[in-house]
Amino acid sequence: MAQQEKEYQKLSGSVDTIVFRKEETGFTVLELETQDDLVTVVGNLIDVEEGEELILTGYYTAHPTYGTQFRAQLCERRLPATANAIAKYLSSGAIKGVGPVLAKRLVLHFGDETLMVMEKSPQRLSEVSGISPKKAQEIALEYQRLFGIRSVMLFLSRFGLNPVMSVRIWRKWGMQSVELIQENPFVLCAWDIGLSFELADAIAQELGMEPGSVNRIRAGLTHTLQYNTNNGHTCLPRNKLVEKAALLTQLGTQQVDEVLGDLCEQGDLVEDTVKGTPFVYLPHLYAAETFVAGRIRMICQLLEAPQEVRQERERQLEAQITLLEQQQGMEYAPLQRQAILQSMTHGIFILTGGPGTGKTTTLNAMIELMEQQGDEVALCAPTGRAAKRMAQVTGRDAKTIHRLLEVDFSDGSGQIRFKRNEKNPLKADVIVVDEMSMVDILLFESLMRAMKLSCRLVLVGDADQLPSVGCGNVLRDLIDSQKISCIHLAQIFRQAAQSLIVTNAHSIVHGEYPNLRERGNDFFFLRRVDNAGASQTVVDLCTTRLPQTYGYSSMWDIQVLAPTRKGELGTMELNRRLQEELNPKDPGKAEFVLNATTFREGDKVMQIRNNYDIEWKKDDERGMGIFNGDIGQILSINRSAHTLEIRFDDRVSVYTFDMAVDLELSYACTVHKSQGSEFKAVILPLMRPNPRLSYRNLLYTAVTRARELLIIVGRDSAVQFMVDNVRKTLRYTNLADFLCQALEEGHEGAQEM
């Protein structure tokens, strides 16, 4: 039924059967027994059980396969009133500890009064055979819990909060939920609840909280710090934090600054002065930066050999490297040899370099020598695609960092925890991390906690690429500290120098304009004067020109990258056009619409947030977690069950429609989302640059995503603008300074000893 033809009506009856339920979201398919018929109902009906009486408000929809369904928008619940209905309700498992046998006994004893006895006189339950006083108390507590959830839902529904949020709140605070929220609505901004400051503020106003309330100011300060982690900051200068929080709360800076002082004194936030500037942190981010600095100091103290010992070790290694060259029929460049030596003689070593500079060759030599001397080497990368590519170029197993650390789901808190940590460290003697520029401070902290102190660490990456999506700028900070052994490979090898992708990438990073006039075999510039012409060219290249000329798969070999999501050349519009061409509407393909995006069987999609709760299957193997940047294809859509099946490389996962909020079409994706990935062919539309989204290292990152072919479509002035715009995303972090301080303190301590 078309959207404009919806006719809302009421439907009442008792729940006959629960057909399907997704516990995480509450999405339910059930059969409702009305006076006239058995009706299929779909909607968010959390904790509704068989036997309950419902009054639903919604509308009927007609599906060509699954027939007529009633989509519930509002639900009024009434407890079953008759003995038969009560027996069915209790037999369904609605109340923990009461199964079909016990339900039958209760109803035989109390009849229509069964539920009233549970609520008003639970001690009487022990009158029934098989129920002890203790068991009666447990049943009563479970009954209170169940109806406590409903009271929270009823209270929060006043403010437009959905049932999923209600369950999340109930699980955290239980019977105290309503009281806590009434006292301080800003508790809803806690990370594990996730309500925005603006929504919590609206609830606070409705509950009569004063604008100058200390709780409101505290929440404004914490929210400002949390919000800025999305921009990559691990902290903010105190004066900037106060200004931003004052603007958010519309209060004076002095009033806000006083509350900030109290928060820091109480330990709810952390202040530290670095080079004369006071910075304020969320406690877990301060702990992450200081822990990483301290752990690096410990590794350096334990594993850095005296100069004489290191020199002797290097002489031995030189002979091994020469032997390796003879075995492989090649000769390493001087910087490559130096990098190999330093990776073997330092506790932590960084290898950087752009495309074509021999990073992979150097890395393989390092791993070969490490294995020859008996080291157990673990290879990892921040994304699945980066790990897969690392495995391909090294010929060895490589894992995502998350998989290496083994995500722990046992506590059900929703917070990311790993099984590997200080108490259960990894066995590896050396850990090699590729695409290190993508690793944020929290993930790096977790990795370092999981390393035994005798484990060496090799970090490989390209510091000229975009920094991590998560907060921090770890690779750049470690390099800038000048305290970690680091080799930057800059020489472009002869074979790579024949590639315009490689030579132009190096021109860009050095502030020189790429050669757009020369037409090589792997880099082309197609000049267009307007958005419409550029957009049509992108579509033509994807759908016909490149597949016909090079034999590329439009779906999997070609990737369109764009600096932005919005506009005619943004990913949203390009995805719409490419979907029309590559996977058009078809009566034989099921589809559904979510937030104005149509998802269709056969579509290419990308996961845009880490989700550790999604199960995947790979042959006989099962695992958990689909991560930000994973690209897959929709295999099937089940509109009746509101589920879709997606294949990510060789893993298959089932999503509910609600979970698809974390999916995007990925025929085109932003340059940021392409980090860690490599594609045979990349098409990059550049027309009218936005200074905030068009800068040098973004262009460099886009160009280096192409393995065989890069085509820029648009205006050469846009390319030149990006090269000239050296704006780098400013990230407030203090890891480099903390590291310098830690190592200096360690050096002084060693001298005193």
Side-chain angles (χ1 to χ4, degrees):
M1 189 174 289
Q3 184 78 13
Q4 64 269 26
E5 296 173 355
K6 287 177 184 175
E7 183 180 339
Y8 285 87
Q9 53 189 286
K10 287 198 171 184
L11 183 70
S12 61
S14 64
V15 180
D16 182 79
T17 307
I18 302 293
V19 178
F20 170 84
R21 171 171 289 148
K22 184 68 177 176
E23 294 295 339
E24 292 85 349
T25 63
F27 176 79
T28 303
V29 180
L30 60 82
E31 300 289 346
L32 190 75
E33 185 177 359
T34 68
Q35 285 184 340
D36 305 318
D37 201 357
L38 200 62
V39 179
T40 300
V41 176
V42 298
N44 286 317
L45 302 168
I46 290 178
D47 284 335
V48 167
E49 298 294 350
E50 293 175 2
E52 283 196 67
E53 299 284 338
L54 304 181
I55 301 175
L56 304 171
T57 302
Y59 55 90
Y60 282 98
T61 61
H63 189 276
T65 304
Y66 302 106
T68 301
Q69 298 175 334
F70 187 84
R71 179 166 290 278
Q73 303 293 299
L74 297 173
C75 174
E76 299 174 54
R77 304 167 69 168
R78 295 179 179 178
L79 287 176
T82 67
N84 285 339
I86 292 171
K88 185 168 188 177
Y89 173 67
L90 293 177
S91 296
S92 70
I95 296 178
K96 187 179 178 182
V98 179
V101 175
L102 199 52
K104 186 175 181 180
R105 289 180 191 166
L106 284 164
V107 173
L108 282 173
H109 191 83
F110 296 112
D112 295 352
E113 304 297 317
T114 302
L115 296 182
M116 187 176 294
V117 171
M118 282 187 178
E119 182 180 7
K120 305 292 185 184
S121 310
Q123 70 279 0
R124 289 191 59 201
L125 297 176
S126 59
E127 297 173 10
V128 175
S129 173
I131 300 182
S132 64
K134 182 180 178 182
K135 178 77 170 177
Q137 185 180 16
E138 289 173 355
I139 293 172
L141 288 172
E142 181 63 17
Y143 185 89
Q144 291 172 9
R145 183 199 68 81
L146 181 63
F147 287 90
I149 293 177
R150 295 183 182 182
S151 67
V152 171
M153 287 182 182
L154 184 63
F155 172 71
L156 293 176
S157 66
R158 294 165 46 190
F159 311 111
L161 299 188
N162 61 39
V164 177
M165 182 71 73
S166 301
V167 171
R168 198 177 297 160
I169 291 164
W170 168 262
R171 285 175 179 163
K172 181 167 184 176
W173 293 305
M175 298 293 290
Q176 297 178 303
S177 298
V178 173
E179 184 181 347
L180 281 171
I181 294 167
Q182 287 175 327
E183 182 180 327
N184 178 17
F186 293 101
V187 296
L188 297 172
C189 295
W191 71 266
D192 48 354
I193 302 300
L195 200 68
S196 70
F197 175 85
E198 290 76 12
L199 283 175
D201 200 25
I203 293 172
Q205 289 180 37
E206 195 164 332
L207 292 174
M209 179 177 278
E210 291 295 325
S213 160
V214 170
N215 284 333
R216 183 171 181 267
I217 299 172
R218 288 168 64 99
L221 286 160
T222 303
H223 168 80
T224 300
L225 284 172
Q226 289 173 335
Y227 177 83
N228 276 279
T229 63
N230 298 325
N231 295 326
H233 306 300
T234 59
C235 57
L236 286 177
R238 179 169 180 147
N239 64 332
K240 285 188 176 293
L241 172 59
V242 170
E243 289 171 8
K244 290 178 180 293
L247 187 63
L248 176 69
T249 57
Q250 295 294 293
L251 296 171
T253 54
Q254 183 176 348
Q255 188 177 4
V256 172
D257 191 66
E258 288 174 1
V259 174
L260 175 57
D262 293 338
L263 278 172
C264 293
E265 279 187 22
Q266 294 160 9
D268 295 316
L269 298 178
V270 180
E271 182 177 355
D272 199 345
T273 300
V274 179
K275 293 181 178 177
T277 300
F279 289 89
V280 181
Y281 284 82
L282 294 166
H284 69 290
L285 292 175
Y286 183 77
E289 286 198 347
T290 52
F291 173 85
V292 167
R295 181 54 63 95
I296 289 176
R297 180 189 69 182
M298 292 176 68
I299 292 173
C300 290
Q301 288 175 340
L302 285 170
L303 300 182
E304 295 295 320
Q307 186 174 359
E308 309 81 41
V309 175
R310 191 166 64 247
Q311 287 174 345
E312 176 59 31
R313 174 75 176 129
E314 287 177 356
R315 279 193 290 271
Q316 296 171 0
L317 287 169
E318 285 279 8
Q320 290 179 266
I321 294 171
T322 300
L323 180 60
L324 187 61
E325 287 177 323
Q326 293 170 355
Q327 291 171 347
Q328 298 184 348
M330 64 178 300
E331 183 178 348
Y332 298 114
L335 268 183
Q336 287 181 304
R337 291 182 74 94
Q338 192 176 342
I340 297 166
L341 287 170
Q342 292 192 17
S343 73
M344 305 288 287
T345 55
H346 290 79
I348 299 181
F349 171 71
I350 299 172
L351 176 67
T352 71
T357 57
K359 265 191 313 185
T360 298
T361 302
T362 308
L363 175 60
N364 281 328
M366 292 176 184
I367 297 169
E368 181 67 30
L369 287 182
M370 290 168 183
E371 290 177 342
Q372 284 182 13
Q373 70 177 20
D375 286 332
E376 183 175 333
V377 184
L379 307 183
C380 60
T383 67
R385 285 181 164 260
K388 186 175 182 179
R389 195 172 73 252
M390 190 183 194
Q392 290 170 343
V393 300
T394 62
R396 295 164 173 85
D397 182 42
K399 299 178 179 179
T400 63
I401 299 174
H402 291 86
R403 190 177 172 199
L404 180 71
L405 299 181
E406 301 174 28
V407 180
D408 185 2
F409 304 96
S410 59
D411 69 354
S413 68
Q415 189 173 11
I416 303 170
R417 300 184 190 278
F418 297 104
K419 293 179 182 178
R420 295 294 185 173
N421 49 42
E422 297 100 323
K423 295 180 180 178
N424 181 30
L426 295 162
K427 295 179 181 179
D429 301 302
V430 185
I431 294 176
V432 181
V433 185
D434 197 12
E435 293 289 354
M436 185 60 201
S437 63
M438 297 178 64
V439 178
D440 61 60
I441 186 63
L442 293 176
L443 186 56
F444 193 58
E445 176 199 15
S446 296
L447 178 64
M448 298 209 76
R449 287 188 184 277
M451 292 168 50
K452 59 187 182 183
L453 288 176
S454 60
C455 179
R456 303 202 309 279
L457 185 61
V458 176
L459 308 176
V460 183
D462 187 343
D464 292 314
Q465 289 184 17
L466 293 169
S468 58
V469 174
C471 59
N473 202 357
V474 179
L475 180 60
R476 173 52 61 191
D477 285 347
L478 294 179
I479 294 171
D480 287 349
S481 73
Q482 298 184 350
K483 298 294 184 180
I484 306 295
S485 176
C486 177
I487 294 291
H488 176 73
L489 300 177
Q491 177 187 347
I492 304 175
F493 286 91
R494 185 170 55 189
Q495 186 176 355
Q498 297 172 6
S499 164
L500 280 178
I501 292 176
V502 171
T503 56
N504 280 332
H506 283 269
S507 295
I508 290 166
V509 85
H510 290 116
E512 301 166 2
Y513 298 147
N515 187 341
L516 301 181
R517 294 183 179 179
E518 183 178 347
R519 289 177 172 259
N521 58 358
D522 65 354
F523 189 107
F524 297 90
F525 175 71
L526 303 181
R527 186 173 285 101
R528 296 294 181 268
V529 297
D530 56 42
N531 288 345
S535 177
Q536 187 58 50
T537 299
V538 169
V539 172
D540 292 342
L541 287 167
C542 281
T543 57
T544 56
R545 293 171 63 175
L546 295 187
Q548 289 176 3
T549 305
Y550 296 92
Y552 288 148
S553 162
S554 296
M555 188 76 75
W556 303 113
D557 294 335
I558 303 169
Q559 184 62 55
V560 177
L561 302 181
T564 180
R565 288 169 50 82
K566 298 179 181 179
E568 196 169 355
L569 292 176
T571 59
M572 295 175 68
E573 177 60 18
L574 288 171
N575 270 318
R576 186 193 65 77
R577 293 202 61 190
L578 289 167
Q579 183 191 45
E580 285 180 356
E581 296 292 332
L582 298 175
N583 191 31
K585 190 176 184 67
D586 187 309
K589 292 182 178 180
E591 61 181 52
F592 72 100
V593 179
L594 181 67
N595 296 336
T597 297
T598 299
F599 292 99
R600 184 174 297 133
E601 289 177 344
D603 271 335
K604 181 180 177 183
V605 293
M606 176 186 283
Q607 175 78 11
I608 60 171
R609 293 181 186 84
N610 289 342
N611 189 325
Y612 302 91
D613 297 326
I614 300 177
E615 183 180 14
W616 53 260
K617 298 178 183 178
K618 175 185 174 184
D619 300 324
D620 295 331
E621 183 184 356
R622 290 173 179 263
M624 302 292 288
I626 300 295
F627 302 115
N628 185 7
D630 284 351
I631 294 177
Q633 184 175 29
I634 299 176
L635 300 179
S636 64
I637 295 174
N638 186 330
R639 290 187 57 87
S640 177
H642 279 232
T643 60
L644 59 157
E645 189 178 49
I646 306 174
R647 179 183 295 280
F648 295 94
D649 292 327
D650 49 4
R651 299 165 298 156
V652 176
S653 295
V654 176
Y655 283 57
T656 63
F657 284 5
D658 304 59
M659 293 159 63
V661 70
D662 289 338
L663 291 174
E664 288 181 351
L665 296 177
S666 63
Y667 303 100
C669 70
T670 62
V671 177
H672 283 87
K673 289 294 182 186
S674 73
Q675 282 180 272
S677 296
E678 197 175 67
F679 311 96
K680 283 188 177 181
V682 167
I683 302 170
L684 179 64
L686 299 174
M687 187 61 68
R688 294 180 176 84
N690 178 335
R692 293 184 64 253
L693 297 171
S694 304
Y695 44 93
R696 185 183 296 172
N697 64 339
L698 186 138
L699 176 62
Y700 174 75
T701 300
V703 169
T704 54
R705 297 310 89 204
R707 186 165 71 245
E708 297 179 3
L709 180 67
L710 176 79
I711 300 178
I712 297 178
V713 179
R715 296 180 175 178
D716 47 6
S717 59
V719 177
Q720 293 168 2
F721 178 90
M722 294 182 77
V723 173
D724 291 338
N725 186 6
V726 293
R727 168 193 176 271
K728 288 193 176 181
T729 307
L730 170 65
R731 294 197 167 191
Y732 289 114
T733 75
N734 289 306
L735 177 60
D737 292 290
F738 289 155
L739 181 56
C740 291
Q741 182 180 345
L743 289 171
E744 286 166 6
E745 289 174 356
H747 180 67
E748 290 171 3
Q751 286 183 328
E752 290 173 5
M753 291 175 66

